[in-house]
Amino acid sequence: MPHPGGPTDGRAAKAALVHRGPGTERSRVGIISASIGAGHDGAAAELSRRLTADGHTVDRWDLLDLLPARAGRAAGSLYHRLLEHAPWAYQRIYTGTERAGGAGPAARALLRTAQDRVMRALPADTGAVVSTYPGASHVLGRLRQAGRLTIPAVTYMTDFSVHPLWVARGIDLHLAVHEVPAAQARALGAAQVQVCGPVTDPRFRPPHAGERAAARERFGLLPGVRYVLLVAGSWGVGPVRRVAAEIGASGAAVPVVVCGRNQALVRQFAADGVEHVHGWTDDMPQLMWACDVMVQNAGGLTSLEAFASGLPWPASGAYPATERPTPQPWTRPGSRSGSATRQDCPPPSTT
């Protein structure tokens, strides 16, 4: 299915990431992500795969490793603990930075400590650098403003709803998955924004004839039964057990739960008597084929994967503030009736 508003094959995004000097093409690209959950790394991995397939050399870094004295790992651990034990506190932080239009003094000071390490990490022949994480974008933007980074810096925004942190001064180009987040980025002051379509693993696509039935058989799901794929992100946090119980009690569908790396949650679901429970899995494309609808709190990348697979989803029990509905919902033409077909933007291309 084509993706309205932008190229469907990624050529525009890839062209933007390759700097061309006079008579030459510098085809080494750096990508900086952050292991905050799995979505930012997932987008970075797929960008890397596509660029490498086109013959470019790709270097990848985790921003958390570029911060000194394990400060990055400590920040990631704090984020995880807040989501798991004090989501209200994270909600306040998120709302505060949204109202303030960006990060506070402490966060800006921490990100400044990564600038020298980023410059040392980039090979001399790097032609462009792309960020899939807001903090990395601010580091790159500051380096561009100071004149220390002389190659294009690009941000790939993985979210449907653009928080002000995504828009960093000094960034040459912000890439958006759809015109809705592109318009939000422009409203927040992004100088140049381009709609390039989604970046998802090509395994996420609508199933061919027979593949849906085969996927159900593989996971022990019965024909004729409606199944809800309940996804709790790579960390398996949020009110997942409550949502699963509500789905089961409704009698309308049977939950199929993915708990990410949270093995304690897997054991809790087993004790609850939930039959279809998975921890971290590489079989998400086929799980999406096997189910009728997805309920998730995981965020942008999982949403894009569901769109690419033709799987409708509503956002429910989301992490505080991570994925709030945009004001322009969309209903997929020809999809099943009901609230589960209400979407935030059109489905992406599967190319």
Side-chain angles (χ1 to χ4, degrees):
M1 182 178 291
H3 177 68
T8 61
D9 58 5
R11 285 178 294 179
K14 288 180 281 191
L17 301 181
V18 180
H19 172 71
R20 288 176 173 84
T24 64
E25 179 175 307
R26 298 164 67 181
S27 60
R28 180 183 289 272
V29 178
I31 300 177
I32 305 179
S33 181
S35 51
I36 302 291
H40 302 289
D41 283 342
E46 179 59 17
L47 275 174
S48 177
R49 186 195 67 80
R50 295 185 187 188
L51 289 164
T52 301
D54 279 357
H56 304 298
T57 301
V58 178
D59 303 295
R60 284 184 57 189
W61 298 274
D62 188 328
L63 178 66
L64 302 189
D65 294 328
L66 294 172
L67 292 166
R70 297 186 61 81
R73 294 298 165 189
S77 178
L78 175 62
Y79 174 67
H80 189 177
R81 289 198 299 272
L82 283 175
L83 289 179
E84 190 171 18
H85 302 295
W88 56 270
Y90 179 72
Q91 176 72 62
R92 290 185 178 179
I93 294 171
Y94 186 99
T95 303
T97 54
E98 186 174 41
R99 290 174 178 170
R108 292 197 298 269
L110 178 62
L111 292 173
R112 279 196 296 270
T113 64
Q115 292 181 14
D116 289 343
R117 291 174 176 235
V118 168
M119 292 303 299
R120 288 196 298 267
L122 291 172
D125 61 341
T126 302
V129 60
V130 59
S131 161
T132 63
Y133 180 67
S137 298
H138 282 271
V139 173
L140 296 176
R142 291 292 183 127
L143 290 170
R144 286 290 278 156
Q145 286 183 305
R148 297 180 63 190
L149 185 67
T150 59
I151 57 176
V154 179
T155 290
Y156 179 83
M157 300 181 295
T158 60
D159 292 344
F160 288 125
S161 186
V162 179
H163 188 281
L165 287 174
W166 270 115
V167 177
R169 294 181 180 180
I171 292 294
D172 297 275
L173 177 64
H174 289 77
L175 298 175
V177 301
H178 182 261
E179 186 54 44
V180 170
Q184 292 175 340
R186 294 186 190 103
L188 289 168
Q192 185 175 355
V193 184
Q194 182 173 322
V195 178
C196 69
V199 174
T200 56
D201 188 307
R203 294 180 303 152
F204 291 96
R205 56 170 177 78
H208 298 315
E211 287 182 323
R212 176 177 165 81
R216 286 207 162 194
E217 183 177 359
R218 175 178 181 180
F219 295 110
L221 306 184
L222 300 175
V225 176
R226 288 183 62 85
Y227 290 96
V228 174
L229 182 62
L230 179 56
V231 182
S234 63
W235 285 339
V237 299
V240 191
R241 294 174 71 194
R242 176 179 59 79
V243 174
E246 290 174 353
I247 292 171
S250 73
V254 175
V256 177
V257 187
V258 180
C259 302
R261 296 187 173 92
N262 191 338
Q263 287 301 309
L265 185 60
V266 172
R267 293 190 292 271
Q268 288 170 350
F269 271 115
D272 292 342
V274 175
E275 181 179 1
H276 304 290
V277 182
H278 303 268
W280 181 263
T281 177
D282 292 323
D283 289 330
M284 283 300 293
Q286 293 200 34
L287 275 172
M288 288 186 176
W289 292 351
C291 294
D292 299 281
V293 66
M294 181 178 75
V295 174
Q296 63 98 21
N297 65 6
L301 187 63
T302 301
S303 306
L304 289 176
E305 291 167 348
F307 280 137
S309 302
L311 181 68
W313 63 271
S316 175
Y319 300 163
T322 54
E323 277 297 320
R324 293 182 299 179
T326 66
Q328 302 182 40
W330 177 88
T331 301
R332 185 186 307 121
S335 60
R336 302 177 184 88
S337 61
S339 60
T341 64
R342 186 175 173 91
Q343 305 291 347
D344 291 324
C345 67
S349 162
T350 58
T351 57

